Amino acid sequence: MSRTRAMLHAADVPAAPGGNGTCAELELELRRVEVRSPLVGQPGTTVLVACHTSSGRVFDPITLGMEDADRLTSHSARFTLFTPAARLSCLEGVACHVTLIPVAGAAQTLIGWGVGSCWFMHYQFLQLSSTMWACQDARAGEYVLQCDRRGGVHPTIMIIMLSTGAVFVVAIALAVLAYVRAARRTTRLRARLSGLAAEPGEAAPKPVPMYQLELGREGGAVGVPPGHQGPTVVVSSEGSLLMLAKPEAVGPAQPVQESTVARALLYHGTQSLGDLRRSAGLPLPHLKAALLVLMQHNCVASWLHAEPPNLRGESRVEQLYEALPRAMLHGLHAPRYLIHVKDSLGATAEAVALKLLQHGRLRLDQVVAALQSEDAAAASQGQGEEAQTTPQRPALEIQAALLRLVRSRLVERAPVCHLPPPRREVHPNARKKKPATKPGSEEEAEQLRARAQDQAHAAYHAVRFKIPTDLVETAVPARAPDGASLAHEPARGGLGTSGAQADGSVGGKRTAGHSTPQPLPGVEEAANLPAANILWRVSLEEFNLRLRNEAIADHMGSRHGPAAGAVVAGMLAAHAARLREAGAPAADGERTVLLSEAEVARAVAVHEPDMAGAGPAPDVPGTLSSLAAEWASPVVAAGDPPAGARQYSLDIAGALGALRQGHLEVLLHDRFGPEGLRIWRLLRACRQLEQKQVADFCMMDAKDAKVKLHAMLKAGCAEGGLDVPRTADRAPSRTFYLWRADVRAACAAFTIELFLAAGNLHARLAHELSQRAELLRVLDLVNAGLAGPGALAERASDFSRIKRVTTLLEAGLLDVGASLALFLGD
Amino acid sequence: MEARAQAINSLLRTHRLQILMAATGGGHVYKMVQKEDAIKLKGLSTEDHLLYQCIARAGNVGIWTKDMKRRTNLSQPRINKIVKFLEEKGMIKFVKSVQNASRKMYMLSELEPAKEITGGPWYGDDGKLDASFIVEMQGAVMSFIRHQRVCTAIEVLEFVEENKICTLSTPLQPDDMALLLNNLVYDGQLESKEDEEGALLYRPALHHGLESTPLTACPCGVCPIIHDCVEEGPISPSTCNYYREWLDF
Ligand code: SF4
């Protein structure tokens, strides 16, 4: 991964008025350059930085050696500079040129100023409430200029490259700080620049963070943001509580402009471009750029909405945009996802998954090119043993890894942007009985439209994990250079992936009596799309489901023994297989389909290697019947054995509810003590009770019960004050006040706290790493062979402490993420 | 007629006769008073008698002094004086209600207070829950259910009675036992399920719940100021003392 960031900082000297136009000049100063490239690790590499305005060079070229870096790792360097101020006149633009010059080999230009490079114009810095500008660089892809208020003193503007094709450079950031001459205009300009700035006299706004996804030092991938934002609770249009706990929740690259658009979509719901422009308050080019970024990172979905035709037969068609809060939040599983991929499918698959996580969605050729260029760079530097033994991964190996990911349902096809918006699910209690529609009526047309909408989505789900036919033929089987045994690949995919075939169907015999589903319109052509036209993305939603299923099986295992855990896992896997056969989404249904003993036994046999501690193969029929006979068991038996085979189903919602309840109860016990927990369970069992009844039934003092109830009300766990008057005058003294356990609110509060805790763990990890930056630098030098191991021996105790601290924080983060999987599972 | 009137008056004077209003028809009904009761009532004024009757009518649930005032139309000081007089004579007694600890309740001294007043067998004489008795009973009940594996509240009650575990003057009722068992269910020590006839079955809990969760295992999960904690704010993860202690190996 190579990345460059340069920062231009305004001089504190006011600029002279005039210039080429009527507006004021800006003064710019180059303050920081950050370079990320494997070339940095090579001894003797230098960095050449120069910036140009339209009228000529603004700074003399600066040559930087690695010894000038104030932060240096094997692949990144940061330089702090103090250049003389340069002026940017009205109507002028500025662009920078950053080149890495190694001792041997070709120089690498990361940013250029030629034709097709990014130029940022004077007026762009002065636009009202503009915080971001997009720019297309022919060399490396798209850049976005972003305001930042790092340090809270001066607004800073950053340029971030968002995505690349197959080029070597991955990301570039350039920061510019503008400062206006007239002192009275400074505050206003800052407000314009940042879009977040305070009015004079107000407290300075909080710094806006930038986010980078990096590999953790201990092997796991951990996002380490250099800055952090305070938590914000957002209520999305659907009324679901969303915690935009930290910027990483909104994707791996999270500049301010994207965040503005994401917030506008979350607050106002699905919108067209015009509406979004008004609600986000951004100029159209910036809005479009931000939307593209959000869509690229799967944080926003785009739907093609066609209005019913009017009397003249004209139908208005518009593109709608919808924020996907759940997808954003699933991003927290990324580290666990990468570990899971590495463990189950090997290092190449992990590299593919990492590329997809970094870029959101990519075509196969883009993945291959990105990985191969990375390998080439590593090999040219001779970094690490691995690079020397396998200089470059062949394209077929990368392709095979991608296909394995798709078969394991860890990677999926990105949805096309012309899908219609999904229909809103109406709660069964709220559904009204409608009379049969008359042929040719408006209602019938409505129904047909709705059916077409459903079919379009069903067609996508049918091909979501389908491997393109042209890849099926070229795919190389079972080469596992990274040590992953492909023989067990289907079984190792975890719960819900029992032997998926290349076409997305499932191993094992189709149960007799199941009719072949009718092909959906559109599936055929989507399935036959050439691989070159398909964008792939990681399926964190599917992974979330998998984590959830694992938790359910573990819970049942801890309650009823390992055999029960294995059988429940088998039931969930068999259910997932049936859904795949039917082309339904994996999350479908509150209860599994009816499964025969033989079907469950087959699924258990496939998944047995996963069942740690299950011991000998479980007696599936016996375990199933004992589970069905258990009290409050989610396993339900159906059928009459003498007449036919007995079948079983699993109440997924019930099992998940019990699991959530367990997590909630630990928190309630911690917060309100055993009495509080007793009250909570009583209210859950009795639905609603008066305060005195609560005290009587819980065998508690009335005063204690009152204190506990009010504490739970304050924490949002209990709902109180539901009043039922005993007399018509509604006198308070003659009114029953009822209390309820508010499970939904408690779950929502718990989820928010999980996000806050995850964000805080993250922030503390970043803080600990930044506090020990010097130590980490020594470690990097030792790893790169630039310093001897003696350098570490001197600070062995410091090193072991930071290792334990990061291990503890990273483990905490992963565990909190797994807990979140339960609460985001619906 | 005159003789009859004289006889009634004489009996009334000696408190051997009580005149009551008929439930229907608006006439009077006469009730004979036992000799022992009549002796007790001897020396009571009409007002004393009126209040005594009011208290007697309340039965074993007792009556509040404010309610006496409302029913007898006597003034509060007068009521207080009479109540004191009757209490001294041992005719009525003060009872403490668990429902309204601040109210002064009275009932005839020979009556046992009702469950609503005492709170039932789980309350002590001071009107407060008898925690040690409850814990003792719960222990005995748990060991019985562990031994039996599955049983109903009635079976537990029979066990308690047979083994004379409860030494209260009033025997435990099925409701009392169900309350105790349900509390054990809410505490996670027992599990319950309805059988086919609708009776609740109890058995020891198979699973005692989670000890901790990832949230409660980290400082933020038990932090009282989690909603005030913001990066760059006065309370922040970077400067958090809870974290410092947690990470201080
Ligand atoms: S970081 Fe510290 S202060 Fe903030 S919520 Fe966590 S424990 Fe509390």
Side-chain angles (χ1 to χ4, degrees):
Chain A
M1 183 163 60
S2 52
R3 176 178 296 186
T4 301
R5 173 184 298 164
M7 191 176 281
L8 286 166
H9 203 284
D12 287 338
V13 187
N20 296 340
T22 50
C23 53
E25 279 185 349
L26 296 177
E27 290 220 353
L28 306 172
E29 190 180 333
L30 190 62
R31 284 291 286 274
R32 205 164 84 199
V33 176
E34 281 186 29
V35 181
R36 274 192 185 213
S37 162
L39 285 183
V40 170
Q42 288 185 17
T45 300
T46 50
V47 180
L48 184 70
V49 185
C51 293
H52 250 279
T53 64
S54 337
S55 55
R57 184 175 285 164
V58 283
F59 303 116
D60 286 331
I62 304 163
T63 306
L64 301 159
M66 289 307 139
E67 61 282 359
D68 300 321
D70 57 349
R71 203 164 108 185
L72 181 70
T73 66
S74 59
H75 56 282
S76 74
R78 192 177 79 183
F79 306 90
T80 304
L81 309 170
F82 295 95
T83 59
R87 293 185 174 179
L88 185 65
S89 305
C90 200
L91 305 179
E92 272 195 331
V94 63
C96 290
H97 191 280
V98 179
T99 307
L100 275 171
I101 307 167
V103 174
Q108 184 190 8
T109 300
L110 302 176
I111 317 178
W113 56 42
V115 177
S117 293
C118 283
W119 285 84
F120 293 95
M121 305 305 292
H122 179 283
Y123 69 88
Q124 286 182 296
F125 299 123
L126 298 175
Q127 278 179 356
L128 249 184
S129 72
S130 293
T131 56
M132 205 170 282
W133 302 273
C135 175
Q136 204 75 32
D137 187 299
R139 184 173 287 99
E142 192 177 20
Y143 298 81
V144 166
L145 185 61
Q146 178 208 341
C147 289
D148 191 5
R149 292 183 69 85
R150 205 169 293 260
V153 184
H154 297 299
T156 313
I157 304 161
M158 293 197 165
I159 304 169
I160 303 162
M161 203 205 76
L162 294 163
S163 64
T164 68
V167 291
F168 186 56
V169 182
V170 172
I172 298 169
L174 175 75
V176 181
L177 186 141
Y179 193 80
V180 185
R181 179 173 174 269
R184 61 187 170 79
R185 291 184 57 196
T186 306
T187 313
R188 246 179 67 210
L189 182 67
R190 281 183 191 163
R192 287 172 179 179
L193 289 172
S194 68
L196 293 166
E199 285 300 310
E202 275 184 18
K206 293 197 178 84
V208 176
M210 267 201 42
Y211 182 83
Q212 302 158 15
L213 190 77
E214 292 180 350
L215 268 186
R217 284 171 195 283
E218 297 301 317
V222 180
V224 186
H228 264 269
Q229 193 176 26
T232 320
V233 178
V234 177
V235 182
S236 77
S237 57
E238 296 162 52
S240 64
L241 247 182
L242 164 71
M243 191 63 217
L244 268 187
K246 299 288 160 189
E248 57 268 34
V250 195
Q254 174 44 44
V256 175
Q257 201 155 357
E258 275 87 276
S259 146
T260 311
V261 176
R263 262 161 219 273
L265 283 170
L266 288 167
Y267 275 118
H268 301 282
T270 307
Q271 292 166 79
S272 64
L273 194 65
D275 293 341
L276 186 56
R277 190 180 171 188
R278 276 186 289 280
S279 55
L282 291 173
L284 200 54
H286 310 162
L287 176 64
K288 282 182 178 171
L291 263 177
L292 280 174
V293 174
L294 288 168
M295 281 160 64
Q296 170 75 19
H297 286 286
N298 307 306
C299 298
V300 164
S302 148
W303 312 115
L304 190 70
H305 174 64
E307 290 278 336
N310 59 18
L311 288 175
R312 278 177 295 192
E314 293 163 353
S315 167
R316 200 161 68 95
V317 178
E318 62 179 350
Q319 204 75 32
L320 297 180
Y321 300 93
E322 182 184 10
L324 303 174
R326 216 165 274 275
M328 297 176 199
L329 300 177
H330 287 158
L332 266 183
H333 299 319
R336 191 175 276 266
Y337 172 87
L338 285 173
I339 292 169
H340 177 82
V341 169
K342 188 173 184 183
D343 289 349
S344 58
L345 299 176
T348 309
E350 189 205 11
V352 172
L354 181 60
K355 274 282 157 278
L356 289 174
L357 275 173
Q358 283 170 344
H359 296 280
R361 42 179 83 177
L362 289 176
R363 290 191 310 273
L364 174 62
D365 60 315
Q366 288 174 317
V367 175
V368 170
L371 283 181
Q372 284 189 337
S373 63
E374 204 172 82
D375 286 347
S380 68
Q381 292 170 52
Q383 273 184 355
E385 282 175 25
E386 201 185 317
Q388 284 160 16
T389 50
T390 48
Q392 195 176 60
R393 280 169 277 218
L396 276 181
E397 184 190 326
I398 296 168
Q399 178 180 315
L402 180 76
L403 297 191
R404 288 208 300 277
L405 282 163
V406 179
R407 283 197 199 102
S408 306
R409 299 197 144 213
L410 291 164
V411 163
E412 62 186 6
R413 293 178 183 215
V416 288
C417 61
H418 54 73
L419 278 179
R423 273 205 299 150
R424 298 278 165 242
E425 277 295 315
V426 182
H427 191 275
N429 296 350
R431 278 181 203 145
K432 289 179 192 156
K433 267 196 171 174
K434 286 182 187 163
T437 50
K438 288 182 198 140
S441 66
E442 182 55 37
E443 288 77 28
E444 196 199 34
E446 182 71 32
Q447 273 185 6
L448 288 175
R449 275 197 295 274
R451 201 173 305 154
Q453 265 175 298
D454 289 349
Q455 278 184 348
H457 283 273
Y460 165 63
H461 284 294
V463 296
R464 197 169 152 200
F465 297 102
K466 206 159 187 107
I467 291 172
T469 37
D470 51 342
L471 283 191
V472 176
E473 284 124 38
T474 55
V476 283
R479 188 200 159 200
D482 35 35
S485 161
L486 301 186
H488 291 296
E489 184 193 320
R492 298 178 68 181
L495 302 181
T497 59
S498 66
Q501 304 298 313
D503 61 352
S505 68
V506 181
K509 273 194 288 182
R510 185 181 287 265
T511 321
H514 288 289
S515 59
T516 313
Q518 288 296 310
L520 287 159
V523 174
E524 195 67 34
E525 58 224 72
N528 292 332
L529 262 183
N533 293 356
I534 296 172
L535 282 168
W536 299 99
R537 67 177 187 183
V538 296
S539 179
L540 287 175
E541 186 192 342
E542 182 78 17
F543 184 68
N544 190 71
L545 205 65
R546 199 168 297 196
L547 285 179
R548 192 195 77 177
N549 286 354
E550 271 172 16
I552 291 176
D554 286 351
H555 178 67
M556 291 298 285
S558 67
R559 219 179 131 82
H560 303 288
V567 167
V568 167
M571 290 182 85
L572 287 164
H575 171 66
R578 285 273 205 97
L579 290 184
R580 277 200 297 276
E581 273 183 50
D588 243 21
E590 300 213 319
R591 171 178 288 281
T592 62
V593 289
L594 282 174
L595 298 160
S596 68
E597 287 168 351
E599 209 170 348
V600 178
R602 267 204 306 277
V604 170
V606 171
H607 284 281
E608 209 174 350
D610 279 346
M611 305 306 156
D619 162 27
V620 173
T623 313
L624 276 172
S625 69
S626 68
L627 274 177
E630 257 305 326
W631 293 15
S633 167
V635 177
V636 181
D640 189 11
R646 176 155 266 189
Q647 291 188 311
Y648 296 88
S649 71
L650 178 82
D651 178 6
I652 300 175
L656 194 60
L659 201 49
R660 285 178 182 166
Q661 174 79 359
H663 279 246
L664 269 181
E665 284 181 356
V666 174
L667 196 74
L668 291 166
H669 188 277
D670 272 20
R671 299 266 162 92
F672 310 109
E675 293 87 8
L677 182 55
R678 197 188 300 162
I679 291 177
W680 165 265
R681 286 177 171 157
L682 168 77
L683 288 174
R684 291 250 308 147
C686 299
R687 288 177 183 266
Q688 53 188 31
L689 290 173
E690 222 194 339
Q691 191 168 297
K692 205 183 116 4
Q693 287 175 309
V694 171
D696 287 350
F697 292 166
C698 282
M699 298 174 97
M700 283 174 72
D701 190 57
K703 272 187 198 155
D704 293 345
K706 184 179 172 184
V707 170
K708 295 279 176 203
L709 279 169
H710 281 87
M712 287 163 82
L713 174 71
K714 197 174 164 201
C717 304
E719 194 186 336
L722 192 77
D723 45 339
V724 182
R726 280 187 285 175
T727 51
D729 61 357
R730 307 183 79 87
S733 59
R734 289 184 290 280
T735 299
F736 291 118
Y737 292 95
L738 300 177
W739 291 85
R740 278 188 197 160
D742 193 344
V743 182
R744 275 179 81 95
C747 281
F750 188 77
T751 313
I752 287 173
E753 289 193 7
L754 277 171
F755 274 108
L756 287 172
N760 290 345
L761 279 164
H762 222 152
R764 185 69 189 206
L765 180 59
H767 172 74
E768 293 286 340
L769 290 175
S770 68
Q771 289 291 298
R772 310 242 165 1
E774 180 59 29
L775 188 66
L776 299 177
R777 195 177 144 235
V778 174
L779 178 65
D780 284 338
L781 289 175
V782 172
N783 285 344
L786 300 176
L792 276 183
E794 286 167 20
R795 304 173 68 178
S797 66
D798 273 1
F799 180 65
S800 78
R801 187 191 175 275
I802 186 70
K803 201 173 166 186
R804 277 180 296 165
V805 164
T806 50
T807 306
L808 189 60
L809 291 169
E810 284 173 6
L813 202 52
L814 287 177
D815 289 345
V816 169
S819 251
L820 269 168
L822 294 180
F823 287 83
L824 294 177
D826 292 339
Chain B
M1 180 59 118
E2 203 170 306
R4 208 185 294 167
Q6 273 180 3
I8 288 171
N9 281 337
S10 148
L11 284 169
L12 280 171
R13 253 195 315 277
T14 55
H15 304 292
R16 294 301 308 276
L17 196 71
Q18 239 184 322
I19 307 176
L20 304 166
M21 297 294 288
T24 52
H28 290 127
V29 179
Y30 298 90
K31 187 186 168 194
M32 196 186 95
V33 178
Q34 293 298 321
K35 199 170 183 181
E36 314 82 71
D37 294 342
I39 292 167
K40 271 203 293 186
L41 297 174
K42 213 171 169 186
L44 296 191
S45 67
T46 324
E47 285 181 346
D48 298 346
H49 198 211
L50 178 67
L51 201 68
Y52 178 80
Q53 279 182 344
C54 175
I55 294 170
R57 220 171 290 136
N60 66 352
V61 293
I63 183 165
W64 184 27
T65 45
K66 288 264 163 57
D67 288 336
M68 291 180 203
K69 185 185 166 200
R70 203 159 40 82
R71 292 200 186 150
T72 60
N73 273 332
L74 294 172
S75 68
Q76 197 62 52
R78 184 78 198 124
I79 288 176
N80 293 346
K81 208 168 167 188
I82 297 170
V83 162
K84 200 174 169 198
F85 171 68
L86 293 175
E87 222 179 340
E88 277 168 6
K89 279 194 81 177
M91 295 171 75
I92 60 168
K93 66 179 176 188
F94 166 72
V95 279
K96 199 166 183 180
S97 164
V98 291
Q99 294 184 8
N100 296 297
S102 58
R103 288 187 179 182
K104 284 197 150 188
M105 309 283 288
Y106 289 91
M107 67 171 65
L108 296 188
S109 47
E110 61 269 22
L111 296 179
E112 271 302 318
K115 203 171 163 183
E116 297 88 70
I117 297 292
T118 61
W122 310 119
Y123 285 79
D125 295 335
D126 56 355
K128 291 195 174 144
L129 275 169
D130 191 344
S132 60
F133 175 56
I134 293 170
V135 170
E136 242 173 65
M137 283 297 291
Q138 283 182 334
V141 162
M142 276 305 295
S143 58
F144 173 69
I145 298 177
R146 267 191 217 113
H147 182 257
Q148 293 293 109
R149 289 176 186 264
V150 180
C151 54
T152 61
I154 301 289
E155 285 165 354
V156 181
L157 194 59
E158 282 167 6
F159 158 77
V160 168
E161 277 168 4
E162 274 167 25
N163 293 281
K164 302 205 169 20
I165 293 169
C166 177
T167 52
L168 293 174
S169 53
T170 40
L172 285 179
Q173 300 300 312
D175 283 359
D176 301 327
M177 187 47 71
L179 185 63
L180 190 80
L181 292 174
N182 285 341
N183 265 278
L184 287 168
V185 173
Y186 303 142
D187 283 344
Q189 297 197 47
L190 291 181
E191 286 177 3
S192 65
K193 181 199 171 189
E194 267 189 14
D195 65 6
E196 290 86 32
E197 281 129 40
L200 270 181
L201 298 173
Y202 296 91
R203 74 167 185 197
L206 291 183
H207 192 248
H208 286 286
L210 301 168
E211 295 271 298
S212 80
T213 63
L215 182 61
T216 52
C218 78
C220 300
V222 286
C223 178
I225 45 173
I226 187 166
H227 293 284
D228 302 319
C229 180
V230 179
E231 189 59 10
E232 310 285 336
I235 304 164
S236 78
S238 312
T239 55
C240 172
N241 282 341
Y242 300 125
Y243 263 104
R244 208 181 53 213
E245 282 166 24
W246 189 49
L247 299 172
D248 196 15
F249 300 107

